[in-house]
Amino acid sequence: MEKKYFAESELIINKDSSVFHLHVKPEQLADKVILVGDPGRVSLVASHFDEKECDIHNREFHTITGRYKNKRITVLSTGIGCDNIDIVVNELDALANIDFKTRYEKSPLKSLTLVRIGTCGGLQEYTPEGTYIASEKSIGFDGLLNYYAGRNEVCDLAFEEAFVKHMNWSAQKGAPYVIDSDEETLNRIAGNDMVRGVTISCGGFFGPQGRVLRVPLADPHQNEKIENFEYNGHRITNFEMESSALHGLSKLMGHKAVTCCMVIANRRALKANVEYKNSIDGLIETVLDRI
Ligand SMILES: O=P(O)(O)O[C@H]1O[C@H](CO)[C@@H](O)[C@H]1O
Ligand SMILES: O=c1cc[nH]c(=O)[nH]1
């Protein structure tokens, strides 16, 4: 089969041989990767490392590679949103699977383990503040995966159909997509002490998550319908802003991804915890031990 070649405009490589946005070089990427939204959370994760190899900043992307109990791990920030996940996962995949000297796809291809540690809003009575939720499935309200070929082959189409019907979904919002996390990685990371749930990844923190400040919502009943939805024993547990694209692109590229988040806003009880930065360290330690 003919090898795939990637032109300068499609895979942008900086003068120092690092990838365009992340500024990371291929040899600086570990096979186990932790992704966090907040650039400040990278140093918190890396504070557990026994040694550090590199510490790189560009825009919202802060990357540290190091060792934790004999495991080589890269931790990096994605910033907020699935648009950033498109950049991060494509650039991580390029670092792993494209030869930066020849610009040809490598063979054999490498499969990375990608674990997102985030914060989220809880939607059920059994997901109060402080709960750790591992996303068994993600529902993308962001639309990103719809731009890629193979989307229908990796998505749970029956779940999508049931959800669209239940929500009386307006086509103006773009098609939602439903995607599983990697089963083995989910079981290893979630263990038997995290809640396993269905996570909605939104293209915004306010309207798309049903928050109303001064502008009313197109569908004022959106969150009630989401909270009541049930499909084959699955309930929707939480809102965040990245897992659908992370899980979807990983499935299309052959990487193994899972998202786990700590609930910081209880949408049912109308409560939020802004002092979560210390308590998320428990989730970080658990993931470092299990990755
Ligand atoms: O805490 P992080 O990882 O950023 O995750 C959540 O927090 C941000 C919104 O406040 C979004 O990125 C959402 O997904
Ligand atoms: O409610 C929340 C809390 C954190 N992150 C989100 O995206 N939503």
Side-chain angles (χ1 to χ4, degrees), residues 243-264:
S243 76
S244 55
L246 173 64
H247 297 188
L249 287 176
S250 296
K251 275 254 156 38
L252 291 175
M253 293 171 181
H255 303 301
K256 294 166 285 190
V258 71
T259 291
C260 42
C261 288
M262 188 177 81
V263 177
I264 62 157

PDB file of all heavy atoms in Angstrom, residues 243-264:
ATOM      1  N   SER A 243     -14.753  15.552  26.388  1.00  0.00           N
ATOM      2  CA  SER A 243     -14.568  14.096  26.276  1.00  0.00           C
ATOM      3  C   SER A 243     -15.062  13.506  24.954  1.00  0.00           C
ATOM      4  O   SER A 243     -14.480  12.557  24.437  1.00  0.00           O
ATOM      5  CB  SER A 243     -15.211  13.381  27.470  1.00  0.00           C
ATOM      6  OG  SER A 243     -16.599  13.343  27.338  1.00  0.00           O
ATOM      7  N   SER A 244     -16.134  14.049  24.364  1.00  0.00           N
ATOM      8  CA  SER A 244     -16.660  13.461  23.118  1.00  0.00           C
ATOM      9  C   SER A 244     -15.602  13.493  22.012  1.00  0.00           C
ATOM     10  O   SER A 244     -15.373  12.486  21.329  1.00  0.00           O
ATOM     11  CB  SER A 244     -17.906  14.227  22.664  1.00  0.00           C
ATOM     12  OG  SER A 244     -17.617  15.604  22.539  1.00  0.00           O
ATOM     13  N   ALA A 245     -14.960  14.637  21.843  1.00  0.00           N
ATOM     14  CA  ALA A 245     -13.956  14.764  20.771  1.00  0.00           C
ATOM     15  C   ALA A 245     -12.720  13.926  21.091  1.00  0.00           C
ATOM     16  O   ALA A 245     -12.127  13.300  20.202  1.00  0.00           O
ATOM     17  CB  ALA A 245     -13.571  16.229  20.580  1.00  0.00           C
ATOM     18  N   LEU A 246     -12.354  13.886  22.370  1.00  0.00           N
ATOM     19  CA  LEU A 246     -11.189  13.077  22.762  1.00  0.00           C
ATOM     20  C   LEU A 246     -11.450  11.600  22.472  1.00  0.00           C
ATOM     21  O   LEU A 246     -10.621  10.912  21.852  1.00  0.00           O
ATOM     22  CB  LEU A 246     -10.892  13.287  24.255  1.00  0.00           C
ATOM     23  CG  LEU A 246      -9.816  12.384  24.841  1.00  0.00           C
ATOM     24  CD1 LEU A 246      -8.460  12.664  24.204  1.00  0.00           C
ATOM     25  CD2 LEU A 246      -9.717  12.565  26.359  1.00  0.00           C
ATOM     26  N   HIS A 247     -12.600  11.105  22.897  1.00  0.00           N
ATOM     27  CA  HIS A 247     -12.908   9.682  22.687  1.00  0.00           C
ATOM     28  C   HIS A 247     -13.126   9.400  21.210  1.00  0.00           C
ATOM     29  O   HIS A 247     -12.694   8.366  20.695  1.00  0.00           O
ATOM     30  CB  HIS A 247     -14.143   9.274  23.485  1.00  0.00           C
ATOM     31  CG  HIS A 247     -13.988   9.394  24.969  1.00  0.00           C
ATOM     32  ND1 HIS A 247     -14.920   8.939  25.860  1.00  0.00           N
ATOM     33  CD2 HIS A 247     -13.000   9.919  25.733  1.00  0.00           C
ATOM     34  CE1 HIS A 247     -14.527   9.179  27.106  1.00  0.00           C
ATOM     35  NE2 HIS A 247     -13.360   9.784  27.048  1.00  0.00           N
ATOM     36  N   GLY A 248     -13.804  10.313  20.505  1.00  0.00           N
ATOM     37  CA  GLY A 248     -14.118  10.087  19.085  1.00  0.00           C
ATOM     38  C   GLY A 248     -12.883  10.075  18.208  1.00  0.00           C
ATOM     39  O   GLY A 248     -12.661   9.146  17.419  1.00  0.00           O
ATOM     40  N   LEU A 249     -12.039  11.100  18.341  1.00  0.00           N
ATOM     41  CA  LEU A 249     -10.815  11.137  17.514  1.00  0.00           C
ATOM     42  C   LEU A 249      -9.903   9.967  17.875  1.00  0.00           C
ATOM     43  O   LEU A 249      -9.256   9.378  16.998  1.00  0.00           O
ATOM     44  CB  LEU A 249     -10.067  12.471  17.705  1.00  0.00           C
ATOM     45  CG  LEU A 249     -10.723  13.685  17.054  1.00  0.00           C
ATOM     46  CD1 LEU A 249      -9.946  14.945  17.382  1.00  0.00           C
ATOM     47  CD2 LEU A 249     -10.831  13.523  15.535  1.00  0.00           C
ATOM     48  N   SER A 250      -9.851   9.617  19.160  1.00  0.00           N
ATOM     49  CA  SER A 250      -8.997   8.493  19.572  1.00  0.00           C
ATOM     50  C   SER A 250      -9.462   7.211  18.898  1.00  0.00           C
ATOM     51  O   SER A 250      -8.649   6.429  18.405  1.00  0.00           O
ATOM     52  CB  SER A 250      -9.016   8.330  21.090  1.00  0.00           C
ATOM     53  OG  SER A 250      -8.454   9.467  21.689  1.00  0.00           O
ATOM     54  N   LYS A 251     -10.776   6.985  18.870  1.00  0.00           N
ATOM     55  CA  LYS A 251     -11.318   5.781  18.211  1.00  0.00           C
ATOM     56  C   LYS A 251     -10.929   5.776  16.730  1.00  0.00           C
ATOM     57  O   LYS A 251     -10.498   4.753  16.196  1.00  0.00           O
ATOM     58  CB  LYS A 251     -12.848   5.752  18.314  1.00  0.00           C
ATOM     59  CG  LYS A 251     -13.380   5.156  19.589  1.00  0.00           C
ATOM     60  CD  LYS A 251     -13.968   3.765  19.336  1.00  0.00           C
ATOM     61  CE  LYS A 251     -14.004   2.878  20.546  1.00  0.00           C
ATOM     62  NZ  LYS A 251     -14.299   3.370  21.842  1.00  0.00           N
ATOM     63  N   LEU A 252     -11.045   6.933  16.059  1.00  0.00           N
ATOM     64  CA  LEU A 252     -10.742   6.985  14.619  1.00  0.00           C
ATOM     65  C   LEU A 252      -9.248   6.770  14.352  1.00  0.00           C
ATOM     66  O   LEU A 252      -8.867   6.284  13.295  1.00  0.00           O
ATOM     67  CB  LEU A 252     -11.172   8.333  14.023  1.00  0.00           C
ATOM     68  CG  LEU A 252     -12.689   8.571  13.947  1.00  0.00           C
ATOM     69  CD1 LEU A 252     -12.985   9.981  13.454  1.00  0.00           C
ATOM     70  CD2 LEU A 252     -13.362   7.542  13.039  1.00  0.00           C
ATOM     71  N   MET A 253      -8.398   7.147  15.312  1.00  0.00           N
ATOM     72  CA  MET A 253      -6.940   7.082  15.102  1.00  0.00           C
ATOM     73  C   MET A 253      -6.302   5.854  15.738  1.00  0.00           C
ATOM     74  O   MET A 253      -5.091   5.662  15.612  1.00  0.00           O
ATOM     75  CB  MET A 253      -6.282   8.333  15.711  1.00  0.00           C
ATOM     76  CG  MET A 253      -6.640   9.609  14.987  1.00  0.00           C
ATOM     77  SD  MET A 253      -6.020  11.018  15.939  1.00  0.00           S
ATOM     78  CE  MET A 253      -6.591  12.375  14.923  1.00  0.00           C
ATOM     79  N   GLY A 254      -7.090   5.067  16.486  1.00  0.00           N
ATOM     80  CA  GLY A 254      -6.532   3.861  17.102  1.00  0.00           C
ATOM     81  C   GLY A 254      -5.862   4.103  18.448  1.00  0.00           C
ATOM     82  O   GLY A 254      -5.039   3.298  18.887  1.00  0.00           O
ATOM     83  N   HIS A 255      -6.217   5.195  19.124  1.00  0.00           N
ATOM     84  CA  HIS A 255      -5.699   5.426  20.482  1.00  0.00           C
ATOM     85  C   HIS A 255      -6.758   4.998  21.508  1.00  0.00           C
ATOM     86  O   HIS A 255      -7.919   4.796  21.170  1.00  0.00           O
ATOM     87  CB  HIS A 255      -5.316   6.895  20.671  1.00  0.00           C
ATOM     88  CG  HIS A 255      -4.305   7.356  19.664  1.00  0.00           C
ATOM     89  ND1 HIS A 255      -3.076   6.753  19.545  1.00  0.00           N
ATOM     90  CD2 HIS A 255      -4.366   8.312  18.695  1.00  0.00           C
ATOM     91  CE1 HIS A 255      -2.403   7.343  18.548  1.00  0.00           C
ATOM     92  NE2 HIS A 255      -3.161   8.282  18.024  1.00  0.00           N
ATOM     93  N   LYS A 256      -6.317   4.871  22.785  1.00  0.00           N
ATOM     94  CA  LYS A 256      -7.218   4.374  23.832  1.00  0.00           C
ATOM     95  C   LYS A 256      -7.488   5.512  24.810  1.00  0.00           C
ATOM     96  O   LYS A 256      -6.562   5.962  25.486  1.00  0.00           O
ATOM     97  CB  LYS A 256      -6.559   3.198  24.567  1.00  0.00           C
ATOM     98  CG  LYS A 256      -6.387   1.974  23.647  1.00  0.00           C
ATOM     99  CD  LYS A 256      -5.452   0.949  24.217  1.00  0.00           C
ATOM    100  CE  LYS A 256      -4.023   1.403  24.089  1.00  0.00           C
ATOM    101  NZ  LYS A 256      -3.004   0.430  24.399  1.00  0.00           N
ATOM    102  N   ALA A 257      -8.741   5.964  24.857  1.00  0.00           N
ATOM    103  CA  ALA A 257      -9.018   7.161  25.661  1.00  0.00           C
ATOM    104  C   ALA A 257     -10.137   6.944  26.663  1.00  0.00           C
ATOM    105  O   ALA A 257     -11.080   6.200  26.417  1.00  0.00           O
ATOM    106  CB  ALA A 257      -9.400   8.323  24.741  1.00  0.00           C
ATOM    107  N   VAL A 258      -9.992   7.636  27.781  1.00  0.00           N
ATOM    108  CA  VAL A 258     -11.069   7.719  28.765  1.00  0.00           C
ATOM    109  C   VAL A 258     -10.988   9.078  29.461  1.00  0.00           C
ATOM    110  O   VAL A 258      -9.911   9.663  29.566  1.00  0.00           O
ATOM    111  CB  VAL A 258     -11.019   6.548  29.778  1.00  0.00           C
ATOM    112  CG1 VAL A 258      -9.858   6.657  30.738  1.00  0.00           C
ATOM    113  CG2 VAL A 258     -12.322   6.450  30.551  1.00  0.00           C
ATOM    114  N   THR A 259     -12.152   9.539  29.909  1.00  0.00           N
ATOM    115  CA  THR A 259     -12.219  10.807  30.639  1.00  0.00           C
ATOM    116  C   THR A 259     -12.722  10.542  32.042  1.00  0.00           C
ATOM    117  O   THR A 259     -13.681   9.785  32.225  1.00  0.00           O
ATOM    118  CB  THR A 259     -13.217  11.761  29.927  1.00  0.00           C
ATOM    119  OG1 THR A 259     -12.652  12.150  28.676  1.00  0.00           O
ATOM    120  CG2 THR A 259     -13.514  13.005  30.759  1.00  0.00           C
ATOM    121  N   CYS A 260     -12.068  11.142  33.047  1.00  0.00           N
ATOM    122  CA  CYS A 260     -12.666  11.103  34.382  1.00  0.00           C
ATOM    123  C   CYS A 260     -12.650  12.521  34.942  1.00  0.00           C
ATOM    124  O   CYS A 260     -11.675  13.264  34.791  1.00  0.00           O
ATOM    125  CB  CYS A 260     -11.981  10.109  35.304  1.00  0.00           C
ATOM    126  SG  CYS A 260     -10.239  10.101  35.211  1.00  0.00           S
ATOM    127  N   CYS A 261     -13.755  12.875  35.538  1.00  0.00           N
ATOM    128  CA  CYS A 261     -13.923  14.245  36.016  1.00  0.00           C
ATOM    129  C   CYS A 261     -14.406  14.259  37.456  1.00  0.00           C
ATOM    130  O   CYS A 261     -15.118  13.355  37.886  1.00  0.00           O
ATOM    131  CB  CYS A 261     -14.984  14.974  35.182  1.00  0.00           C
ATOM    132  SG  CYS A 261     -14.463  15.386  33.517  1.00  0.00           S
ATOM    133  N   MET A 262     -14.042  15.321  38.168  1.00  0.00           N
ATOM    134  CA  MET A 262     -14.592  15.550  39.497  1.00  0.00           C
ATOM    135  C   MET A 262     -15.740  16.554  39.371  1.00  0.00           C
ATOM    136  O   MET A 262     -15.592  17.591  38.709  1.00  0.00           O
ATOM    137  CB  MET A 262     -13.516  16.103  40.429  1.00  0.00           C
ATOM    138  CG  MET A 262     -13.993  16.160  41.863  1.00  0.00           C
ATOM    139  SD  MET A 262     -12.705  16.731  42.969  1.00  0.00           S
ATOM    140  CE  MET A 262     -12.823  18.474  42.723  1.00  0.00           C
ATOM    141  N   VAL A 263     -16.854  16.240  40.028  1.00  0.00           N
ATOM    142  CA  VAL A 263     -18.005  17.156  39.992  1.00  0.00           C
ATOM    143  C   VAL A 263     -17.700  18.376  40.861  1.00  0.00           C
ATOM    144  O   VAL A 263     -17.379  18.237  42.044  1.00  0.00           O
ATOM    145  CB  VAL A 263     -19.288  16.461  40.505  1.00  0.00           C
ATOM    146  CG1 VAL A 263     -20.457  17.451  40.538  1.00  0.00           C
ATOM    147  CG2 VAL A 263     -19.638  15.246  39.651  1.00  0.00           C
ATOM    148  N   ILE A 264     -17.790  19.563  40.258  1.00  0.00           N
ATOM    149  CA  ILE A 264     -17.578  20.789  41.052  1.00  0.00           C
ATOM    150  C   ILE A 264     -18.842  21.657  41.108  1.00  0.00           C
ATOM    151  O   ILE A 264     -18.912  22.587  41.899  1.00  0.00           O
ATOM    152  CB  ILE A 264     -16.382  21.632  40.531  1.00  0.00           C
ATOM    153  CG1 ILE A 264     -16.628  22.095  39.092  1.00  0.00           C
ATOM    154  CG2 ILE A 264     -15.075  20.877  40.650  1.00  0.00           C
ATOM    155  CD1 ILE A 264     -15.817  23.341  38.749  1.00  0.00           C
TER     156      ILE A 264
END
